[in-house]
Amino acid sequence: MNVKFLFKPSILVLLLCSLVLFSCSDSKKDNEYTAYLFTYFTGNGDGEEAIRYAISEDGYNFHALNNNEPIIDSDSISRSGGVRDPHILRKEDGSGYYMVVTDLLAQKGWTNTAMTLLKSDDMLSWSSTIIDIPQTYPEFSEVMRVWAPQTIYDPSAKKYMVYFSMLEPGSYDKIYYAYVNEDFTGLESAPKQLFFNPNEKASIDGDIIKKDDKFYLFYKTEGDRDKGIKVAISDSLTSGYKAEPGNVDQTDKAVEGSGVFKLINSEDYILMYDVYIDGSYQFTKSSDLKNFEIVDEDISMNFHPRHGTVMPITTEEMQRLLKAFPSDDLVGVTGASNSAIKTNNIVIKSDENTIYLPVKYGTDLTNFDPELKTLPGVAVSPEGAQDFSNGPVSYEISTGDEVTSFEVTAAVANNPVVEGYYADPEIIYSEKDKKYYLYPTSDGFTGWSGTYFKTFSSEDLVNWTDEGVILDLEKDVEWTSRNAWAPTMIEKEIDGAYKYFYYFTAAQQVGVAVSDSPKGPFKDSGAPLISEKPEGIRGGQNIDPDIFEDPQTGKNYLYWGNGFLGVVELNDDMTTIKSKKPKVITPDGTFREGAEVFFRNGKYYFMWAEDDTRSPNYKVRYATADSPLGPLNIPEDNIVIQKDVEKEILATGHNSVIQVPGKDEWYLVYHRFTRPKGEAIGRAAGYHREVSIDSLKFNEDGSIIEVKPTLEGIAPLQ
């Protein structure tokens, strides 16, 4: 059958990245490969169960081809109208490619009996054959599902083997295999059992890779107690697999679709898998295929894949794919290597032919070499240092016969103030150290699953030093080890010595830890300080504490809450509550979380975040009061900060406020979606956030002038 293939023969819009997974031996030398191809599908909705392509130059940063649209029409290669779980393989002699997919459309139910074999000379057009197992092999006439086929070359048999899971009534999913005929259009014989879970639970989504003369079979298992990605090892491709104890996935969430590939010119392997309920992918790295560490912070994708695989490709192959399947947001420049550039925040716009390079304060732009990174085979001119101080510099980006001119701007961007993913920022000025300290949530973890807190120090609010981890739930806290969120801090002089009290969210409770230094380490009190909601409160969470010392009375108050705002007075020891009955002072229906309280010119100011942190509309509002316990007066126009769509600054919320000691000079410290990727990654932007600082100013009557979020940030304090 000839496949209707979907590609646009338009001019190459040079490219960036994505990923490719391979699970077999390969006749080409490792050093011939320069990039990766990722084959994947995107979901269970209309048009999502179809083969898509993405590429990467490093196996970490990925960009979709064909604007994330299918490269093959699923109707033309399937019986169901949908295909899933694509696995791609280069032929052993390098003359072409094979691909296998599950023939399944989820909207028709999860019962299926067929898979599709595909072959191609160029990865652009494919021919296909549908194999229905029960129809072809009567001994499997009762098979209910045939899932996630993959293929591998067996050098002993000198044949290609397809392996996949099957389910029969009264049993559980087991992995079977069969050799494929020379035309890659059918199986030579009925499938044979390759592996079953010794715990008599499902084993699906098998993925085999060879290392040091051993075969590693990664598979997913299910069950109430024992579920996730596991590995079985054998000396033989077709028999003898022994399951290793434990899991190799690094999450407690439901996962499937594992895929392993070796990094080019490296001894390291990537294991990736589909965290399908969360709609995310997790990447881990290993050198022994048994012990894996999470590398999610190094990964970027401009698409949301489901169960896919990766294969290494050459420069010629990559350029062929780029020409056949161009994407609007792909250009030949993929980033920049100069350490002065905030690489997470580079903005490349192919529709405008512009590149924006945010640089750190103090960078000499009169003689600056951005050290632009390109895809293999892409050339950039001019080379070396250029003068960016007077505006954009014109660059030519060429791939083969294609030459495109881009205007490249390098500009100082003090926001975000620290590089990487951080959120919910708290800030103090330490009288002891004469420095500012920033205490954020460590972000970038799927579902806000971080487990540790860090701090950063600065003398001028612009140049920050990473002081490291100050509290690790897994090591330092006995009562929980999950969800390290939204801390708050206060410095207190007690009996002539400075003490630091750190209130933090963990497992939707509020804890407190103490140190003699703002840098920590901090010692946890041993139990949650806030574990119950105030009387009458049914919804919401006990999160987002804020500590405030009333300068008029010396009393100390702890505020907290999501969906409600609670407050209690603390005892002088700062680690116990004076009143066991919290007061609820929720401002109005806009209150979501992230309370911040400060005092200025006889007024108490209360700030809070509105909306969901995953929403671009996340913003800050405020009220005032004559007492730290209210009642609150809410101005008619009470927005403190909100998104700026024109600047692509979104979800500006959950803030703290800092006053320069001895001056009526104030700054707002807040988080935003990571820019520019935030909007593209959807609701996952809610845990990929960055910390920014902008000036906070007041009218003569004390009302707050709405803060306009900036890229430039503030100038260093003198």
Side-chain angles (χ1 to χ4, degrees), residues 214-234:
K214 291 187 180 295
F215 295 91
Y216 291 74
L217 168 61
F218 291 83
Y219 63 97
K220 175 200 175 177
T221 186
E222 296 176 329
D224 294 335
R225 296 182 179 178
D226 185 27
K227 59 184 178 182
I229 307 297
K230 296 178 175 292
V231 64
I233 304 174
S234 176

Side-chain angles (χ1 to χ4, degrees), residues 462-525:
V462 169
N463 299 290
W464 293 87
T465 299
D466 187 341
E467 301 289 359
V469 174
I470 59 172
L471 186 72
D472 187 328
L473 300 186
E474 295 180 333
K475 299 176 182 178
D476 306 325
V477 177
E478 295 180 357
W479 48 273
T480 190
S481 61
R482 64 181 178 88
N483 300 124
W485 301 346
T488 185
M489 165 70 85
I490 192 168
E491 177 185 67
K492 301 286 285 186
E493 188 173 3
I494 301 175
D495 297 329
Y498 284 101
K499 287 281 188 182
Y500 299 85
F501 298 90
Y502 187 71
Y503 306 85
F504 59 94
T505 305
Q508 289 71 50
Q509 302 175 88
V510 177
V512 58
V514 185
S515 178
D516 294 326
S517 167
K519 302 177 186 179
F522 284 82
K523 181 176 176 57
D524 178 59
S525 66

Side-chain angles (χ1 to χ4, degrees), residues 384-413:
Q386 307 297 317
D387 184 359
F388 287 88
S389 63
N390 296 315
V393 175
S394 293
Y395 278 77
E396 287 190 344
I397 302 171
S398 59
T399 300
D401 296 332
E402 300 287 344
V403 179
T404 308
S405 179
F406 273 75
E407 295 296 300
V408 180
T409 299
V412 172

Side-chain angles (χ1 to χ4, degrees), residues 4-23:
K4 177 184 178 184
F5 52 94
L6 306 178
F7 68 90
K8 303 173 183 178
S10 56
I11 296 175
L12 168 63
V13 185
L14 303 169
L15 173 129
L16 209 143
C17 351
S18 216
L19 162 85
V20 182
L21 199 53
F22 73 103
S23 302

Side-chain angles (χ1 to χ4, degrees), residues 414-428:
N414 291 330
N415 285 332
V417 296
V418 292
E419 293 185 78
Y421 300 127
Y422 297 95
D424 313 322
E426 166 71 320
I427 191 168
I428 69 165

